[in-house]
Amino acid sequence: MLFYTVLFTPLLGIILFSFIRRARWAVSINLLVSTVNFIAMIVWLVRWQTTPSFFILHAHEQLYLDALGLIGWTLTTFIGMTTALFSYGYMLQNLKERRITLKRLQLYHLFYQSFIFSLLIAFSANNIGLLWVAIEGATLATVLLVSLYRTPEAVEAAWKYFIICIVGIALALFGTILVYFAAQTSLDPSHAILWHSLAAQAKTLNPSIMILAFVFLFVGYGTKVGLVPFHFWLPDAYSESPGPVAALLSGLLLNVALYALLRFQILTNLSLHNGLANQLMIIFGLLSFVFASFTLHHQQNIKRMFSYSSIEHVGVMTFAFGIGNTIAILSGLFYLIIHALIKSAIFTTVGNVMHLTHTQKIEKIRGILKLNPWVGWLLIAALFAIAGAPPFGLFIGEIGIFLATLQTYPYLAIILGVGFLIVFAALLRYMQSMTLGNPEKVSAPSIAKINLVPAGLHLLIVLILGLYMPPFFMQILKQASSLFTGQ
Amino acid sequence: MMNIDAIQLLLSALLLLTTFILLIQRRVDSMIYTYAWQSAFLSLATLSASFVTPYQWDLFFSALLIFALKVIFIPWFLRYLSHRLSSTKSSDNPTSLVARPFLLSMIASALVLFSYNLTNSLRTSTQLFSSNAIAIALSIILLGMLLIITHRKAVSHALGFMVIENGIFFAALILTRGMPMKIELGIAFDVLVAIILFGVFFFHLNTGIDSLDVDSLNRLREGAE
């Protein structure tokens, strides 16, 4: 029952928003719905911890939750809540500055909750067709959020995002059909589309079809992840969308696409035994990482800079899952969680920075520490965290992935290590120029403390996870990684 | 049985032919009509498949759904939009590939050969009612992408996406006799939302950039101010 409470709370929000006409009510209800959603999730987790069963089937086996999906659910509800808290002040401010109309605010909340709902469905879908429908739904829900400001730039970014991603995702649908086809000989039609029966019977799937299917799925969901040859939409979409939307896109949408890719990587590996899926992931992960870490160095726009950082990190994650031994998978999952938390913290902080300076240009952002010490320190902490500096959690993930690479492909570890240093240098340089020195203007608009809470909370969790790993958390990670090794 | 196989082969050939016509068309109106024809052939192919399979009601319903959505609603909607926004001043750039139909159809033919080659493994490893059909489905998907790459109008991009969608539906039809009904409804819903979003975008592009020509979308570039 609690399962459905978590799943359908956003839907309740969608219904409520059709009746609300007042701005302050709408933002409050958005926050309320997201908070209820997260609390339900926590209650469910606590109750579930007492009787841990890692496979939960619902709704005639169409929905299914294992440790991997659980990570997705927890991240979605948590980031959904903190971003709603941030967007409370942010959207009211936008309304006051007349950047958006009341009608558009309504649209924003409607799509906000539809997006969260699609993600929860995607993370718990056992039916691989439903997984596709949910991810397409998440894409469609975010398109008009990207173009919320209706400036020519925002419309252009949203159009690129829309056309590239729906064509990409269409290819993933073709791949999904091929997987369904590959199982036709060994499973009856109603089970051939369910992930858990596919995984149980993976050895009987036709390997030559699975190769073709995985290539299409990789290109399709890889486009959504933002892997390098298909990444063009990503910096545009992140840089033109409103602050909370950028936080949602980088913190959640990226994860759900990677999650779908991982599901099919597991199936393909079980079916093929030759590691072809892993090799594809290593090659394109490393390519994205190297490309993005060099591109990071000459950025003029702060949001574009951080979107290249997203491409870089997603490259590392894809690479780690491609390496495929237990340390790499564990570190990859840990990395994924930490990155989602830091990146959404960063985009909310950047929203605050832009409120102070009214510009996205890095060279015009000076002396944030003097303008507003709170925002300044948050930005410094976030930049250290995303660069992978200890004691923040990302450091542990990077070390784990580096060690796993050293065990399996020692030569690639050199590339990885040098890449980490290049990224670190770039981020350190940006941090110095943005936070230190004297600001261009002496006075800046004040920022409500409540707008700083989401980023602060995220970074605190990241810091704690860098120093201490709760046993329950470790247990979930281990369960999730055991899916990959097929034990 | 024999007759139905022949009919389905004919329909798949017609699907490919309409894709070629779409690819070399330059007028938006004729492209929309061609798309409607293609969807009609797809609907017929689904209908004919519903006579030979045990799940016939599902497929029969799918055929009706395609007819309502893709033969009637989407072409009407796109035509309505393109007439409403007929301020579109520029035509296709004459240097683009669309102005060279011969070269374009050569590239398209090469893609068809490529998909025959790629689907070799599928055709030998299973007994299909028509071994050509899967290669044709993949060709339609690839040609849809070629259409998006070569054409410069937003409406053509919407049509390109719809062609890809038709190709995927056709693939599902021949490989697995369609997807389960629930999923098919989900996909149809997503397509419907996508086409409405396309409509919203045409208005935004028209008011924001004053053109439905995607070549004018050049503000966001690396290093641009």
Side-chain angles (χ1 to χ4, degrees), chain B residues 14 39 56 78 85 88 92 130 157 164 169 180 182 198:
Chain B
L14 285 171
S39 307
Q56 42 183 311
L78 285 177
L85 308 169
T88 50
D92 271 313
S130 161
H157 285 201
I164 294 176
F169 186 91
K182 281 170 266 180
F198 267 116

Side-chain angles (χ1 to χ4, degrees), chain B residues 153-211:
Chain B
K153 279 200 186 115
V155 184
S156 325
H157 285 201
L159 281 167
F161 168 69
M162 300 313 297
V163 167
I164 294 176
E165 223 282 320
N166 273 356
I168 290 171
F169 186 91
F170 189 54
L173 181 72
I174 42 184
L175 286 176
T176 59
R177 306 277 178 209
M179 299 289 268
M181 200 61 222
K182 281 170 266 180
I183 297 308
E184 212 138 84
L185 282 176
I187 294 171
F189 175 73
D190 278 352
V191 168
L192 190 65
V193 175
I195 203 74
I196 290 169
L197 279 182
F198 267 116
V200 171
F201 264 110
F202 295 159
F203 277 100
H204 289 174
L205 291 173
N206 209 37
T207 51
I209 301 158
D210 200 28
S211 157

Side-chain angles (χ1 to χ4, degrees), chain A residues 62 111 127 129-130 132-134 136-137 140 143-144 147 150 152-160 162-163 166-167 170-171 173-174 176-178 180-181 184-185 189 193 206 208-209 212 216 235-236 239-240 295 298-300 304 308 361, chain B residues 55 118-119 121-122 125-126 128 134 137-138 141 145 148 154 157-158 161 164-165 168-169 171-172 175-176 178-180 182-183 186-187 190-191 193-194 197-198 200-202 204-205 208-209 214 216-225:
Chain A
Q62 301 297 311
F111 283 126
N127 186 320
L130 186 64
W132 183 86
V133 170
E136 170 93 340
L140 296 176
V143 164
L144 288 186
S147 71
R150 299 285 194 277
E153 287 83 7
V155 170
E156 178 180 341
W159 170 260
K160 280 183 190 166
F162 181 48
I163 196 86
I166 62 171
V167 171
L171 294 182
L173 178 61
F174 186 60
T176 308
I177 289 168
L178 286 176
Y180 182 47
F181 175 55
Q184 291 286 311
T185 46
I193 202 158
N206 185 328
S208 58
I209 301 174
L212 197 61
F216 276 99
D236 292 349
S239 63
E240 295 306 322
T295 320
H298 45 83
Q299 292 302 314
Q300 284 134 28
R304 283 189 90 86
Y308 277 104
K361 278 191 196 162
Chain B
Y55 302 99
L118 200 64
T119 50
S121 61
L122 298 192
S125 60
T126 48
L128 293 170
I134 177 62
L138 186 58
I141 295 170
M145 294 174 86
I148 291 180
H157 285 201
F161 168 69
I164 294 176
E165 223 282 320
I168 290 171
F169 186 91
L175 286 176
T176 59
M179 299 289 268
K182 281 170 266 180
I183 297 308
I187 294 171
D190 278 352
V191 168
V193 175
L197 279 182
F198 267 116
V200 171
F201 264 110
F202 295 159
H204 289 174
L205 291 173
I209 301 158
V214 290
S216 16
L217 293 174
N218 51 12
R219 285 162 197 263
L220 299 170
R221 266 169 300 149
E222 221 36 68
E225 287 301 305

Side-chain angles (χ1 to χ4, degrees), chain B residues 43-161:
Chain B
S43 172
L44 275 179
T46 317
L47 194 67
S48 66
S50 76
F51 293 125
V52 287
T53 51
Y55 302 99
Q56 42 183 311
W57 283 109
D58 277 14
L59 282 176
F60 185 73
F61 187 70
S62 292
L64 284 183
L65 193 68
I66 294 173
F67 193 81
L69 190 65
K70 293 179 180 171
V71 183
I72 296 173
F73 176 71
I74 290 175
W76 168 82
F77 185 63
L78 285 177
R79 226 178 92 85
Y80 165 79
L81 286 174
S82 69
H83 280 228
R84 183 78 196 275
L85 308 169
S86 56
S87 66
T88 50
K89 31 192 182 184
S90 58
S91 62
D92 271 313
N93 187 351
T95 55
S96 77
L97 269 178
V98 190
R100 300 179 189 176
F102 180 72
L103 186 59
L104 194 58
S105 26
M106 281 298 111
I107 296 173
S109 314
L111 281 177
V112 175
L113 286 181
F114 172 69
S115 28
Y116 265 92
N117 193 16
L118 200 64
T119 50
N120 250 336
S121 61
L122 298 192
R123 288 186 288 134
T124 50
S125 60
T126 48
Q127 337 90 323
L128 293 170
F129 73 86
S130 161
S131 58
N132 284 304
I134 177 62
I136 287 179
L138 186 58
S139 313
I140 294 173
I141 295 170
L142 293 177
L143 294 190
M145 294 174 86
L146 184 65
L147 177 76
I148 291 180
I149 295 167
T150 51
H151 286 242
R152 310 308 310 163
K153 279 200 186 115
V155 184
S156 325
H157 285 201
L159 281 167
F161 168 69

